Structures are given as C-alpha cells and as structure tokens.
Amino acid sequence: MSRKTLQQIIDENPESETFRFGDSERLSREILALVRSGKKTATVEAMRVYRGKGADALPEVGRRDVALEWDGRPAVMLETVEVLTMRMDEMTEELVAAQGEFRDLAHWRKAYRAYFSRTGGVSEDMEIMCERFRVVEDYAGGGGAGPRQRRTRPGAASGRGES
C-alpha cells in the first residue's frame, strides 16, 4: 500500500486544516494513540487561538482535517461532528470521558490548567472550544475509528489542546 503525502491529501481535501495534538512530541504521540484506538473522540482548546489576526480556523461540523505526527507527516483525517463553546469551569464529566485520557473531571482540570498555563494563560472562566470528531482515515494504516490541537494550513502546523 502506498502512503499519501500531505500535499496529496490537501489537494484532495482543499478545505482541510492541519494540526498537531499537544505541545510536545511525547504528548502528541500519546494522544494520537488514543485517537487511533477509538478511546479519544473529543478535544479541547482555548478559544483565544481562534480569535484575532493570524488566528486558527475554528472547527466546523462536517469539515475534515488532518492531524499530523509531530514530524509533520499525516497521521489521521478527522471529521468534526460537534463543536461546543463554554467556560473552563463548565466542563462536564461526559466531555472529559470522550477525551479518553483523564481519570475524571478533577484530573482534567489539573492537566488543562498546566497546558493552558504553558500556552497563554488560564482562568476558570476562560472560554474554551470542545470538539467531537470521528476518524475518517488513518494514514499509518493503524486503523481505529475514533482531538486535536490548533489548526493551521500545511507547512505551518501548530498544536491543539491536551496537556
């Protein structure tokens, strides 16, 4: 089986955004494993990354985007199935469970406080985006139907949520 290049994928899906999960190679790898296993079907990011000059494109229901491996290779194509905005202190146990990596809401709060502190600041009333998604294609051939980090156009991919 021949693997598609990122350029081929983008040419076939010109509306797609690209992104990396997490803010480190280790975290990105861990999150992609959860996505591929089907345990992770939602992700969170601070709304600030979707506002202002040079902001990332907010996820849209029905759009398919490409999550990248840390080194920029295509990992999986995800289709957005729901986008919610809320304050950080409004997060629910159900949405935490869909993220697949946290024991409970308290664990989620601790992890996201750390993540948001590293990526621009945190407050309990800050606005966040929660996206539910499904895996459309796994470019590594690992299967699984199952988050994300900040979206950007090819060549400038950055990160999306997760601690």
Side-chain angles (χ1 to χ4, degrees), residues 4-121:
K4 293 180 182 179
T5 66
L6 180 58
Q7 190 59 56
Q8 289 170 320
I9 294 165
I10 297 301
D11 289 348
E12 293 170 3
N13 303 278
E15 75 291 347
S16 292
E17 300 286 335
T18 61
F19 65 93
R20 288 184 184 91
F21 283 106
D23 61 349
S24 71
E25 183 175 1
R26 176 196 58 79
L27 183 57
S28 178
R29 223 179 14 254
E30 291 171 5
I31 293 168
L32 281 169
L34 290 168
V35 169
R36 286 179 165 131
S37 74
K39 292 179 182 176
K40 183 173 183 64
T41 59
T43 194
V44 170
E45 184 55 277
M47 281 299 294
R48 66 177 162 254
V49 306
Y50 306 110
R51 295 188 173 130
K53 188 176 180 179
D56 293 339
L58 188 66
E60 297 175 18
V61 173
R63 190 175 70 206
R64 294 179 172 189
D65 296 323
V66 181
L68 302 174
E69 301 285 352
W70 194 254
D71 65 6
R73 291 176 295 123
V76 293
M77 178 172 283
L78 304 176
E79 181 178 331
T80 301
V81 298
E82 183 179 32
V83 178
L84 304 166
T85 58
M86 65 187 73
R87 292 171 15 149
M88 186 169 169
D89 60 5
E90 296 172 330
M91 179 54 63
T92 66
E93 290 282 356
E94 179 209 1
L95 288 171
V96 167
Q99 292 174 63
E101 59 200 285
F102 307 102
R103 292 183 303 273
D104 55 26
L105 185 56
H107 183 222
W108 180 90
R109 288 191 187 288
K110 180 178 179 182
Y112 265 94
R113 279 187 197 111
Y115 172 73
F116 290 143
S117 291
R118 292 191 308 266
T119 61

